[in-house]
Amino acid sequence: MSGTTPFLPGQETLLASWSALAQISPGARVIRSAATAAAVFPSWAPLNNAILLNAHDAAAATAAASQLTSLYSDAGVDAWALWMPSRVTDVDAPDGVREVGGLKRDTTTLVMQATLPPGLRHHDGVVRTSIAAATHATDEPVPAADLAEPEGVPGLAAWVLVHDDAAVAGAWSVLHERDCGIYAVGVSPGWRRRGFARSLMEHVLADAQRRGARTATLQSTRRGQPLYESLGFEPAGRYEEWISQ
């Protein structure tokens, strides 16, 4: 990463996940510089994100935003986000940087990390599928008969939990060295608060441990934090997200 040191746990795994996803999205690529790492996904809007890698202050963020604006514009991408890593472990704490020129402050996600304990459980209802199917299952149930085959990108896995012949929860994971990054965990509306997210997480963690992972990292919303804490995850920092206007 151009000689930079990861600012938060799981940052290298997150970047590895972007690189893995770029292999299945037309025209996508991950562009790294001394200041930023940018996921450029012309065909998949939610993945257009960049991480500020060093010099976490307003001037550095504004300079990076200016460069990223040109980068994304040249790729035909109108909407993107800059993630500013912070060591703050309270999702509601004030920001250290109050203004980034050209960008609008949006959401905050908590970075959480866990050491994988022995005895993690596999669940028969959790199966691998495609990234698209796993993403779809977080919005509405997907008939089990319609689930696509996994993409086959090394280290990348998409998961769904099947209940009554439909996938009602989804996530994807990336194994990078000894860390498993878990992303986009969600349950279809109408199926929430029934333990499906916990079962899905337990299975993904058990599978990662079987494949050699020793830790797991993720980004959590305030709503997801209690579940992840009950699974042994602890806050390690946060990403303060700024979006293009």
Side-chain angles (χ1 to χ4, degrees):
M1 286 186 56
S2 304
T4 59
T5 300
F7 191 77
L8 291 176
Q11 187 168 294
E12 285 283 4
T13 306
L14 176 61
L15 295 177
S17 79
W18 291 353
S19 294
L21 291 169
Q23 298 181 47
I24 61 173
S25 182
R29 62 198 190 281
V30 178
I31 301 174
R32 306 186 186 199
S33 70
T36 61
V40 181
F41 279 68
S43 302
W44 195 359
L47 262 292
N48 289 301
N49 302 305
I51 296 176
L52 188 66
L53 297 177
N54 55 30
H56 303 88
D57 55 43
T62 296
S66 177
Q67 296 173 350
L68 290 166
T69 296
S70 298
L71 174 66
Y72 282 111
S73 177
D74 290 345
V77 174
D78 296 326
W80 52 276
L82 174 62
W83 295 9
M84 293 189 61
S86 168
R87 295 289 189 186
V88 174
T89 57
D90 180 354
V91 72
D92 296 314
D95 293 346
V97 173
R98 301 300 180 90
E99 182 176 352
V100 176
L103 301 183
K104 177 183 177 182
R105 183 70 166 92
D106 193 47
T107 190
T108 299
T109 55
L110 197 63
V111 175
M112 305 188 76
Q113 182 180 42
T115 298
L116 300 184
L120 290 167
R121 298 177 56 200
H122 289 83
H123 292 267
D124 292 340
V126 178
V127 298
R128 287 191 59 183
T129 184
S130 66
I131 294 290
T135 302
H136 191 183
T138 66
D139 293 324
E140 61 181 348
V142 178
D146 293 343
L147 293 175
E149 291 296 316
E151 283 85 1
V153 177
L156 177 67
W159 307 90
V160 290
L161 183 144
V162 177
H163 178 76
D164 288 343
D165 294 323
V168 297
W172 72 69
S173 64
V174 167
L175 186 62
H176 177 69
E177 297 179 348
R178 294 286 183 150
D179 185 53
C180 176
I182 304 175
Y183 310 103
V185 180
V187 179
S188 295
W191 299 92
R192 295 170 183 166
R193 300 185 181 279
R194 298 175 63 174
F196 293 140
R198 171 177 292 276
S199 295
L200 179 64
M201 283 290 301
E202 287 177 345
H203 186 97
V204 173
L205 292 172
D207 180 83
Q209 187 176 62
R210 180 184 61 81
R211 291 186 292 144
R214 295 294 178 264
T215 62
T217 49
L218 53 80
Q219 288 82 57
S220 174
T221 62
R222 184 186 295 103
R223 184 175 67 182
Q225 185 178 354
L227 168 63
Y228 301 133
E229 287 180 338
S230 73
L231 291 168
F233 285 83
E234 297 180 350
R238 69 186 195 180
Y239 286 115
E240 299 163 2
E241 184 176 312
W242 297 75
I243 58 174
S244 58
Q245 302 186 60

